[in-house]
Amino acid sequence: MFEAILPLVLFALVSTSTPGMATTLSTASGAQFGFRRSVPLMAGSATGLATVAAAGAAGLAGLLAAAPSLQLAMKIAGSLYLIWLALKIGRSGPPNLDVAMAKPNSFFGGAGLQWMNPKGWAMGLGAAASFAALADGPLQLALLLGAVFGLAAALSLSAWCVAGTLLARLLRTERQWRVLNAVLGLLLAASIIPMWQPA
């Protein structure tokens, strides 16, 4: 059975591990707040991607493809949210010194990030089309994709968060923190660009 789903597992691991908005945010959160305080954000993001993948498999992605105005609204909302987060991260200093970054993003912030990400919906639809033969129907496929993408996202985001916490140990001065946060803010803002490119 595992041999049959191995290509799906590899696809999910690669697609959730590549740099993007969720990985950048997990890295920034790990550097700023540590792993434990970043768990709600990562859990929300993994759950959000799991529900997006499941919904894509269940056919909701077809509705989004048929309703360009809904897609546009999602892109705008997602872009504005990411710009706000990028500014918040980019302007922060060392941990606990900047009131604007006094607490990490929430479970719902992480989930909302995925729900507003057209790239995530496209990934869910692509996985549903590519791996439909692994299930006996839309519901079973939705459960399979949701579980695989949720676990893959949890693993990859945890790795990025740990990288952030390790990076934080190397930073000694307020200037180093400001440079790191500015770079992470710029990377998060840059992750918006693929969202607006034609599929």
Side-chain angles (χ1 to χ4, degrees):
M1 174 62 180
F2 182 73
E3 291 80 10
I5 66 166
L6 183 61
L8 170 61
V9 171
L10 292 175
F11 174 80
L13 284 170
V14 170
S15 59
T16 58
S17 296
T18 54
M21 57 185 80
T23 55
T24 303
L25 194 55
S26 293
T27 304
S29 186
Q32 194 74 22
F33 305 112
F35 188 87
R36 187 181 59 80
R37 291 183 68 200
S38 300
V39 167
L41 168 70
M42 294 185 294
S45 192
T47 302
L49 185 59
T51 58
V52 164
L60 188 56
L63 171 65
L64 293 173
S69 59
L70 184 56
Q71 278 190 333
L72 180 62
M74 285 175 57
K75 282 185 182 183
I76 291 170
S79 295
L80 291 174
Y81 178 64
L82 287 170
I83 289 168
W84 176 76
L85 282 175
L87 287 170
K88 194 169 146 179
I89 291 168
R91 296 174 62 201
S92 63
N96 303 322
L97 293 188
D98 194 307
V99 178
M101 287 289 286
K103 60 182 183 175
N105 284 288
S106 67
F107 177 91
F108 291 107
L113 178 73
Q114 297 292 0
W115 294 334
M116 292 184 290
N117 181 5
K119 181 183 170 189
W121 286 99
M123 184 172 54
L125 181 61
S130 300
F131 300 103
L134 294 176
D136 291 331
L139 180 59
Q140 191 180 43
L141 183 62
L143 292 173
L144 176 64
L145 292 187
V148 171
F149 274 93
L151 289 172
L155 287 171
S156 63
L157 295 176
S158 294
W160 282 96
C161 185
V162 167
T165 60
L166 294 175
L167 189 58
R169 293 180 183 173
L170 301 174
L171 304 179
R172 299 282 180 245
T173 67
E174 182 172 345
R175 183 173 183 275
Q176 290 172 332
W177 273 103
R178 292 203 178 275
V179 168
L180 171 68
N181 290 332
V183 168
L184 290 171
L186 287 171
L187 287 173
L188 186 58
S191 73
I192 298 168
I193 295 169
M195 188 186 299
W196 288 94
Q197 292 177 339

Short mmCIF file of all heavy atoms in Angstrom, two decimals, residues 132-183:
data_model
loop_
_atom_site.label_atom_id
_atom_site.label_comp_id
_atom_site.label_asym_id
_atom_site.label_seq_id
_atom_site.Cartn_x
_atom_site.Cartn_y
_atom_site.Cartn_z
N ALA A 132 -5.80 10.60 -8.47
CA ALA A 132 -7.19 10.15 -8.29
C ALA A 132 -7.30 8.63 -8.28
O ALA A 132 -8.18 8.07 -7.62
CB ALA A 132 -8.06 10.73 -9.39
N ALA A 133 -6.40 7.96 -8.98
CA ALA A 133 -6.47 6.49 -9.06
C ALA A 133 -6.17 5.81 -7.73
O ALA A 133 -6.44 4.62 -7.56
CB ALA A 133 -5.49 5.99 -10.13
N LEU A 134 -5.63 6.55 -6.77
CA LEU A 134 -5.30 5.96 -5.47
C LEU A 134 -6.53 5.76 -4.59
O LEU A 134 -6.44 5.11 -3.54
CB LEU A 134 -4.30 6.85 -4.73
CG LEU A 134 -2.90 6.98 -5.35
CD1 LEU A 134 -2.06 7.96 -4.55
CD2 LEU A 134 -2.21 5.62 -5.43
N ALA A 135 -7.67 6.34 -4.98
CA ALA A 135 -8.86 6.27 -4.13
C ALA A 135 -10.06 5.79 -4.93
O ALA A 135 -10.08 5.87 -6.16
CB ALA A 135 -9.14 7.64 -3.53
N ASP A 136 -11.08 5.32 -4.21
CA ASP A 136 -12.28 4.80 -4.86
C ASP A 136 -13.33 5.87 -5.13
O ASP A 136 -14.36 5.58 -5.72
CB ASP A 136 -12.90 3.70 -3.99
CG ASP A 136 -12.01 2.45 -3.95
OD1 ASP A 136 -11.29 2.21 -4.94
OD2 ASP A 136 -12.05 1.74 -2.93
N GLY A 137 -13.10 7.09 -4.68
CA GLY A 137 -14.08 8.14 -4.92
C GLY A 137 -13.59 9.45 -4.36
O GLY A 137 -12.53 9.52 -3.70
N PRO A 138 -14.34 10.55 -4.59
CA PRO A 138 -13.92 11.87 -4.13
C PRO A 138 -13.72 11.98 -2.62
O PRO A 138 -12.77 12.61 -2.17
CB PRO A 138 -15.05 12.80 -4.58
CG PRO A 138 -15.74 12.06 -5.67
CD PRO A 138 -15.57 10.61 -5.38
N LEU A 139 -14.57 11.34 -1.83
CA LEU A 139 -14.44 11.44 -0.38
C LEU A 139 -13.17 10.75 0.11
O LEU A 139 -12.40 11.30 0.91
CB LEU A 139 -15.67 10.84 0.31
CG LEU A 139 -15.64 10.87 1.84
CD1 LEU A 139 -15.52 12.30 2.35
CD2 LEU A 139 -16.87 10.20 2.42
N GLN A 140 -12.91 9.55 -0.40
CA GLN A 140 -11.69 8.83 0.00
C GLN A 140 -10.45 9.59 -0.47
O GLN A 140 -9.46 9.68 0.26
CB GLN A 140 -11.71 7.41 -0.59
CG GLN A 140 -10.61 6.53 0.00
CD GLN A 140 -10.64 5.12 -0.58
OE1 GLN A 140 -10.82 4.94 -1.78
NE2 GLN A 140 -10.46 4.13 0.28
N LEU A 141 -10.51 10.15 -1.68
CA LEU A 141 -9.38 10.93 -2.18
C LEU A 141 -9.17 12.18 -1.33
O LEU A 141 -8.03 12.54 -1.03
CB LEU A 141 -9.62 11.32 -3.65
CG LEU A 141 -8.48 12.07 -4.33
CD1 LEU A 141 -7.21 11.22 -4.38
CD2 LEU A 141 -8.88 12.50 -5.74
N ALA A 142 -10.27 12.83 -0.93
CA ALA A 142 -10.17 14.01 -0.08
C ALA A 142 -9.50 13.67 1.24
O ALA A 142 -8.62 14.41 1.73
CB ALA A 142 -11.55 14.62 0.15
N LEU A 143 -9.88 12.56 1.86
CA LEU A 143 -9.27 12.15 3.12
C LEU A 143 -7.79 11.82 2.95
O LEU A 143 -6.95 12.20 3.78
CB LEU A 143 -10.03 10.94 3.69
CG LEU A 143 -11.45 11.21 4.17
CD1 LEU A 143 -12.15 9.90 4.54
CD2 LEU A 143 -11.46 12.17 5.35
N LEU A 144 -7.46 11.12 1.87
CA LEU A 144 -6.07 10.75 1.61
C LEU A 144 -5.20 11.99 1.39
O LEU A 144 -4.15 12.15 2.02
CB LEU A 144 -5.99 9.82 0.39
CG LEU A 144 -4.57 9.43 -0.06
CD1 LEU A 144 -3.87 8.62 1.03
CD2 LEU A 144 -4.63 8.65 -1.36
N LEU A 145 -5.65 12.88 0.49
CA LEU A 145 -4.85 14.08 0.20
C LEU A 145 -4.76 14.98 1.42
O LEU A 145 -3.70 15.56 1.70
CB LEU A 145 -5.45 14.85 -0.97
CG LEU A 145 -5.36 14.20 -2.34
CD1 LEU A 145 -5.83 15.16 -3.42
CD2 LEU A 145 -3.97 13.69 -2.66
N GLY A 146 -5.85 15.12 2.16
CA GLY A 146 -5.82 15.95 3.36
C GLY A 146 -4.81 15.44 4.37
O GLY A 146 -4.02 16.21 4.93
N ALA A 147 -4.81 14.12 4.60
CA ALA A 147 -3.88 13.53 5.56
C ALA A 147 -2.43 13.67 5.10
O ALA A 147 -1.56 14.10 5.87
CB ALA A 147 -4.22 12.06 5.78
N VAL A 148 -2.17 13.35 3.85
CA VAL A 148 -0.79 13.40 3.34
C VAL A 148 -0.25 14.83 3.33
O VAL A 148 0.86 15.09 3.80
CB VAL A 148 -0.69 12.74 1.94
CG1 VAL A 148 0.67 13.00 1.32
CG2 VAL A 148 -0.95 11.25 2.04
N PHE A 149 -1.04 15.76 2.80
CA PHE A 149 -0.56 17.14 2.73
C PHE A 149 -0.46 17.77 4.12
O PHE A 149 0.45 18.56 4.38
CB PHE A 149 -1.45 17.98 1.81
CG PHE A 149 -1.04 17.89 0.38
CD1 PHE A 149 -1.62 16.95 -0.46
CD2 PHE A 149 -0.05 18.71 -0.14
CE1 PHE A 149 -1.23 16.84 -1.79
CE2 PHE A 149 0.34 18.61 -1.46
CZ PHE A 149 -0.24 17.68 -2.29
N GLY A 150 -1.38 17.44 5.03
CA GLY A 150 -1.30 17.97 6.38
C GLY A 150 -0.04 17.50 7.10
O GLY A 150 0.67 18.30 7.72
N LEU A 151 0.27 16.21 7.00
CA LEU A 151 1.47 15.67 7.65
C LEU A 151 2.74 16.20 7.00
O LEU A 151 3.71 16.54 7.69
CB LEU A 151 1.46 14.14 7.61
CG LEU A 151 0.42 13.48 8.52
CD1 LEU A 151 0.35 11.97 8.26
CD2 LEU A 151 0.73 13.75 9.99
N ALA A 152 2.75 16.27 5.66
CA ALA A 152 3.93 16.79 4.96
C ALA A 152 4.19 18.24 5.34
O ALA A 152 5.34 18.64 5.59
CB ALA A 152 3.75 16.66 3.45
N ALA A 153 3.13 19.04 5.41
CA ALA A 153 3.28 20.45 5.79
C ALA A 153 3.77 20.57 7.22
O ALA A 153 4.64 21.41 7.53
CB ALA A 153 1.96 21.19 5.61
N ALA A 154 3.24 19.74 8.13
CA ALA A 154 3.68 19.79 9.53
C ALA A 154 5.18 19.50 9.63
O ALA A 154 5.91 20.18 10.36
CB ALA A 154 2.88 18.81 10.36
N LEU A 155 5.66 18.50 8.89
CA LEU A 155 7.08 18.15 8.91
C LEU A 155 7.95 19.27 8.32
O LEU A 155 8.94 19.68 8.92
CB LEU A 155 7.33 16.86 8.14
CG LEU A 155 6.86 15.57 8.81
CD1 LEU A 155 6.97 14.39 7.83
CD2 LEU A 155 7.68 15.30 10.05
N SER A 156 7.56 19.76 7.15
CA SER A 156 8.41 20.76 6.48
C SER A 156 8.40 22.08 7.24
O SER A 156 9.45 22.72 7.38
CB SER A 156 7.98 20.95 5.03
OG SER A 156 6.67 21.45 4.95
N LEU A 157 7.24 22.50 7.73
CA LEU A 157 7.19 23.76 8.48
C LEU A 157 7.96 23.66 9.79
O LEU A 157 8.60 24.62 10.21
CB LEU A 157 5.74 24.17 8.74
CG LEU A 157 4.93 24.51 7.47
CD1 LEU A 157 3.48 24.81 7.84
CD2 LEU A 157 5.54 25.67 6.71
N SER A 158 7.92 22.49 10.42
CA SER A 158 8.71 22.29 11.64
C SER A 158 10.20 22.41 11.34
O SER A 158 10.95 23.03 12.11
CB SER A 158 8.42 20.91 12.24
OG SER A 158 7.09 20.84 12.71
N ALA A 159 10.64 21.84 10.22
CA ALA A 159 12.05 21.94 9.84
C ALA A 159 12.46 23.39 9.60
O ALA A 159 13.53 23.83 10.04
CB ALA A 159 12.33 21.09 8.59
N TRP A 160 11.60 24.14 8.90
CA TRP A 160 11.90 25.56 8.65
C TRP A 160 11.90 26.35 9.95
O TRP A 160 12.72 27.27 10.14
CB TRP A 160 10.90 26.15 7.66
CG TRP A 160 11.20 25.78 6.24
CD1 TRP A 160 10.65 24.77 5.51
CD2 TRP A 160 12.14 26.42 5.36
NE1 TRP A 160 11.18 24.72 4.25
CE2 TRP A 160 12.10 25.74 4.12
CE3 TRP A 160 13.00 27.50 5.49
CZ2 TRP A 160 12.88 26.10 3.05
CZ3 TRP A 160 13.79 27.86 4.41
CH2 TRP A 160 13.73 27.17 3.20
N CYS A 161 11.01 26.02 10.87
CA CYS A 161 10.95 26.71 12.15
C CYS A 161 12.22 26.43 12.98
O CYS A 161 12.79 27.33 13.59
CB CYS A 161 9.69 26.30 12.91
SG CYS A 161 9.43 27.19 14.46
N VAL A 162 12.65 25.17 12.98
CA VAL A 162 13.89 24.81 13.67
C VAL A 162 15.07 25.57 13.07
O VAL A 162 15.94 26.08 13.79
CB VAL A 162 14.13 23.28 13.62
CG1 VAL A 162 15.54 22.92 14.05
CG2 VAL A 162 13.11 22.57 14.51
N ALA A 163 15.09 25.69 11.75
CA ALA A 163 16.15 26.47 11.10
C ALA A 163 16.13 27.92 11.60
O ALA A 163 17.19 28.52 11.84
CB ALA A 163 15.98 26.43 9.58
N GLY A 164 14.94 28.46 11.78
CA GLY A 164 14.82 29.82 12.31
C GLY A 164 15.34 29.93 13.72
O GLY A 164 16.02 30.90 14.07
N THR A 165 15.03 28.93 14.57
CA THR A 165 15.51 28.98 15.95
C THR A 165 17.03 28.84 16.02
O THR A 165 17.69 29.50 16.83
CB THR A 165 14.85 27.89 16.82
OG1 THR A 165 15.17 26.60 16.30
CG2 THR A 165 13.35 28.05 16.88
N LEU A 166 17.61 28.00 15.14
CA LEU A 166 19.07 27.86 15.10
C LEU A 166 19.72 29.14 14.61
O LEU A 166 20.76 29.57 15.12
CB LEU A 166 19.46 26.69 14.20
CG LEU A 166 19.05 25.30 14.70
CD1 LEU A 166 19.38 24.23 13.67
CD2 LEU A 166 19.70 24.98 16.04
N LEU A 167 19.11 29.76 13.62
CA LEU A 167 19.62 31.02 13.10
C LEU A 167 19.60 32.09 14.18
O LEU A 167 20.54 32.89 14.29
CB LEU A 167 18.78 31.46 11.89
CG LEU A 167 19.26 32.63 11.07
CD1 LEU A 167 20.66 32.37 10.53
CD2 LEU A 167 18.31 32.90 9.93
N ALA A 168 18.55 32.09 14.99
CA ALA A 168 18.44 33.09 16.06
C ALA A 168 19.58 32.99 17.06
O ALA A 168 19.99 34.00 17.64
CB ALA A 168 17.10 32.92 16.78
N ARG A 169 20.11 31.79 17.25
CA ARG A 169 21.22 31.62 18.21
C ARG A 169 22.51 32.25 17.71
O ARG A 169 23.42 32.52 18.49
CB ARG A 169 21.46 30.13 18.48
CG ARG A 169 20.30 29.49 19.22
CD ARG A 169 20.55 28.05 19.49
NE ARG A 169 19.39 27.45 20.14
CZ ARG A 169 19.25 26.18 20.38
NH1 ARG A 169 20.20 25.33 20.04
NH2 ARG A 169 18.16 25.73 20.97
N LEU A 170 22.60 32.47 16.41
CA LEU A 170 23.80 33.07 15.84
C LEU A 170 23.77 34.59 15.91
O LEU A 170 24.81 35.24 15.75
CB LEU A 170 23.96 32.65 14.37
CG LEU A 170 24.07 31.14 14.10
CD1 LEU A 170 24.09 30.88 12.61
CD2 LEU A 170 25.34 30.59 14.77
N LEU A 171 22.59 35.15 16.14
CA LEU A 171 22.45 36.61 16.11
C LEU A 171 22.76 37.19 17.49
O LEU A 171 22.20 36.78 18.48
CB LEU A 171 21.03 36.98 15.67
CG LEU A 171 20.61 36.39 14.33
CD1 LEU A 171 19.19 36.80 13.99
CD2 LEU A 171 21.54 36.81 13.22
N ARG A 172 23.66 38.18 17.50
CA ARG A 172 24.11 38.75 18.77
C ARG A 172 23.68 40.21 18.95
O ARG A 172 23.54 40.67 20.07
CB ARG A 172 25.65 38.67 18.86
CG ARG A 172 26.17 37.25 18.79
CD ARG A 172 26.00 36.56 20.13
NE ARG A 172 26.49 35.20 20.08
CZ ARG A 172 25.73 34.13 20.21
NH1 ARG A 172 24.44 34.25 20.37
NH2 ARG A 172 26.25 32.92 20.18
N THR A 173 23.51 40.94 17.87
CA THR A 173 23.24 42.37 18.01
C THR A 173 21.86 42.72 17.47
O THR A 173 21.28 41.97 16.68
CB THR A 173 24.29 43.20 17.24
OG1 THR A 173 24.12 42.96 15.83
CG2 THR A 173 25.71 42.83 17.65
N GLU A 174 21.37 43.88 17.88
CA GLU A 174 20.08 44.35 17.38
C GLU A 174 20.14 44.56 15.87
O GLU A 174 19.17 44.27 15.16
CB GLU A 174 19.69 45.66 18.08
CG GLU A 174 18.33 46.16 17.64
CD GLU A 174 17.85 47.34 18.45
OE1 GLU A 174 18.42 47.62 19.52
OE2 GLU A 174 16.90 47.99 17.98
N ARG A 175 21.26 45.03 15.37
CA ARG A 175 21.41 45.26 13.92
C ARG A 175 21.29 43.94 13.14
O ARG A 175 20.64 43.87 12.10
CB ARG A 175 22.76 45.92 13.63
CG ARG A 175 22.96 46.25 12.16
CD ARG A 175 24.24 47.06 11.96
NE ARG A 175 24.37 47.43 10.56
CZ ARG A 175 24.90 46.66 9.61
NH1 ARG A 175 25.35 45.46 9.92
NH2 ARG A 175 24.98 47.08 8.37
N GLN A 176 21.91 42.87 13.65
CA GLN A 176 21.81 41.56 12.99
C GLN A 176 20.36 41.10 12.95
O GLN A 176 19.91 40.55 11.94
CB GLN A 176 22.68 40.53 13.72
CG GLN A 176 24.16 40.76 13.57
CD GLN A 176 24.98 39.84 14.45
OE1 GLN A 176 24.55 39.40 15.52
NE2 GLN A 176 26.21 39.54 14.01
N TRP A 177 19.63 41.30 14.05
CA TRP A 177 18.21 40.92 14.07
C TRP A 177 17.41 41.73 13.05
O TRP A 177 16.55 41.19 12.36
CB TRP A 177 17.63 41.15 15.48
CG TRP A 177 17.82 39.97 16.36
CD1 TRP A 177 18.74 39.82 17.35
CD2 TRP A 177 17.08 38.75 16.32
NE1 TRP A 177 18.62 38.57 17.93
CE2 TRP A 177 17.61 37.89 17.32
CE3 TRP A 177 16.04 38.28 15.54
CZ2 TRP A 177 17.12 36.62 17.56
CZ3 TRP A 177 15.53 37.01 15.78
CH2 TRP A 177 16.08 36.20 16.77
N ARG A 178 17.70 43.01 12.97
CA ARG A 178 16.95 43.86 12.04
C ARG A 178 17.23 43.46 10.59
O ARG A 178 16.33 43.45 9.76
CB ARG A 178 17.26 45.34 12.28
CG ARG A 178 16.72 45.82 13.61
CD ARG A 178 16.50 47.31 13.66
NE ARG A 178 15.93 47.69 14.94
CZ ARG A 178 14.64 47.65 15.24
NH1 ARG A 178 13.77 47.23 14.35
NH2 ARG A 178 14.21 48.03 16.42
N VAL A 179 18.47 43.08 10.30
CA VAL A 179 18.82 42.63 8.94
C VAL A 179 18.08 41.32 8.63
O VAL A 179 17.47 41.17 7.57
CB VAL A 179 20.35 42.46 8.79
CG1 VAL A 179 20.68 41.72 7.49
CG2 VAL A 179 21.03 43.82 8.82
N LEU A 180 18.13 40.36 9.57
CA LEU A 180 17.43 39.09 9.36
C LEU A 180 15.94 39.32 9.14
O LEU A 180 15.35 38.78 8.20
CB LEU A 180 17.63 38.15 10.56
CG LEU A 180 16.76 36.88 10.51
CD1 LEU A 180 17.20 35.96 9.39
CD2 LEU A 180 16.77 36.16 11.84
N ASN A 181 15.31 40.11 9.99
CA ASN A 181 13.88 40.34 9.87
C ASN A 181 13.53 41.08 8.59
O ASN A 181 12.50 40.80 7.96
CB ASN A 181 13.36 41.10 11.10
CG ASN A 181 13.37 40.23 12.34
OD1 ASN A 181 13.28 39.02 12.25
ND2 ASN A 181 13.53 40.85 13.49
N ALA A 182 14.40 42.00 8.16
CA ALA A 182 14.16 42.70 6.89
C ALA A 182 14.23 41.72 5.73
O ALA A 182 13.39 41.75 4.82
CB ALA A 182 15.18 43.82 6.72
N VAL A 183 15.21 40.80 5.76
CA VAL A 183 15.35 39.80 4.69
C VAL A 183 14.14 38.87 4.68
O VAL A 183 13.56 38.60 3.61
CB VAL A 183 16.66 39.00 4.85
CG1 VAL A 183 16.68 37.79 3.94
CG2 VAL A 183 17.86 39.89 4.57
#
